[in-house]
Amino acid sequence: MTRVLIVEDQSMPRTLFEMYVNQSENYTLAGSISNADMTDYHCENSDVDLILMDICTSMGANGLEAAERIKAKFPKIKIIIVTSMPEYSYLKRAKDAGVDSFWYKEVSSEPIIELMDRTVNGERVFPDTTPKIKFGNAMSTDFTERELEVLRELTSGDTNTEIAKRLYIAPGTVKNYIQYMLEKTGFKSRTELAVKAREAGLVILDDRINDK
């Protein structure tokens, strides 16, 4: 039996994952926790073969950081990242962290149990692209990677000068990118642009990851 640790802070998907594991003939529940920073403890103190790991977990703990630590300590443990957030950089970050597979909660056509089977059997399964979402008058695919980088920094509430310093570009360039995005989306202000981006999960500011 493959022992599964669930790391998920939302009660509904967590309960569903537990149900899938408990009803399966091939899997047994090794634990179910809400904070990714507790993953290390469970892996060190119990037998875990497979982890279903959300990215945004309780108390700000990040599943991608936890996955990277676990893969360094326990390379044989398989990890599947599960998320509802369409943040464009998550796929690349997961691959860089050594994650085995990646599953979008709302839009993945493959049942999670089937993905677990494939992952346990040695496959690495990743979506080709992030989910396409409506963002104002535009679609998420209408934005360049640089625009999305600026948009992520914009959600911090910092000035153009502060954003420009972090991205190594000129403040005027930041201003231009923001103007381009306002024109694409039809939003009226940089504040509305930032708030809507956060609400949609299109970009998620996480300093611990971005500073790596």
Side-chain angles (χ1 to χ4, degrees):
M1 295 282 281
T2 299
R3 295 177 56 83
V4 182
L5 174 64
I6 297 169
V7 186
E8 169 64 68
D9 68 331
Q10 294 183 320
S11 59
M12 185 173 293
R14 184 174 171 183
T15 300
L16 284 173
F17 291 149
E18 291 172 359
M19 181 185 70
Y20 295 149
V21 170
N22 288 328
Q23 291 180 351
S24 170
E25 296 179 355
N26 299 319
Y27 299 98
T28 185
L29 194 63
S32 184
I33 58 178
S34 62
N35 187 316
D37 284 345
M38 293 299 296
T39 308
D40 306 66
Y41 174 83
H42 280 266
C43 291
E44 290 165 358
N45 292 278
S46 61
D47 292 330
V48 176
D49 303 305
L50 173 67
I51 302 173
L52 301 182
M53 181 96 73
D54 197 359
I55 296 177
C56 302
T57 70
S58 65
M59 301 181 69
N62 190 286
L64 291 174
E65 289 190 337
E68 187 171 14
R69 291 196 308 270
I70 295 303
K71 275 298 184 181
K73 295 178 184 177
F74 309 98
K76 291 184 179 180
I77 294 179
K78 304 289 187 181
I79 300 177
I80 300 175
I81 288 292
V82 297
T83 184
S84 59
M85 298 298 182
E87 218 289 349
Y88 80 97
S89 69
Y90 278 171
L91 279 173
K92 182 179 184 302
R93 293 179 187 176
K95 291 176 182 178
D96 290 345
V99 165
D100 297 279
S101 296
F102 196 107
W103 191 79
Y104 285 112
K105 296 177 187 175
E106 279 82 12
V107 300
S108 294
S109 58
E110 182 174 20
I112 185 62
I113 284 291
E114 291 183 14
L115 186 69
M116 290 163 62
D117 291 341
R118 293 174 65 187
T119 303
V120 168
N121 288 327
E123 288 189 62
R124 295 190 76 210
V125 187
F126 285 82
D128 293 329
T129 60
T130 57
K132 186 177 180 179
I133 63 170
K134 191 86 163 60
F135 186 54
N137 297 331
M139 300 300 295
S140 54
T141 50
D142 295 333
F143 298 88
T144 66
E145 184 169 334
R146 179 57 102 179
E147 285 175 331
L148 291 171
E149 287 175 350
V150 172
L151 183 58
R152 184 197 286 120
E153 296 297 333
L154 184 64
T155 64
S156 68
D158 289 340
T159 65
N160 288 353
T161 300
E162 291 168 323
I163 293 172
K165 184 177 180 181
R166 286 199 295 274
L167 295 180
Y168 302 101
I169 56 179
T173 303
V174 173
K175 181 179 179 180
N176 289 339
Y177 277 124
I178 293 172
Q179 185 58 42
Y180 297 152
M181 290 186 283
L182 288 172
E183 292 171 359
K184 288 180 182 181
T185 60
F187 295 138
K188 302 301 182 184
S189 67
R190 61 188 286 143
T191 300
E192 184 181 12
L193 184 65
V195 169
K196 295 295 185 182
R198 282 199 303 267
E199 290 177 349
L202 180 59
V203 290
I204 298 175
L205 187 67
D206 187 320
D207 292 334
R208 290 178 300 172
I209 290 181
N210 291 341
D211 286 346
K212 285 188 174 183

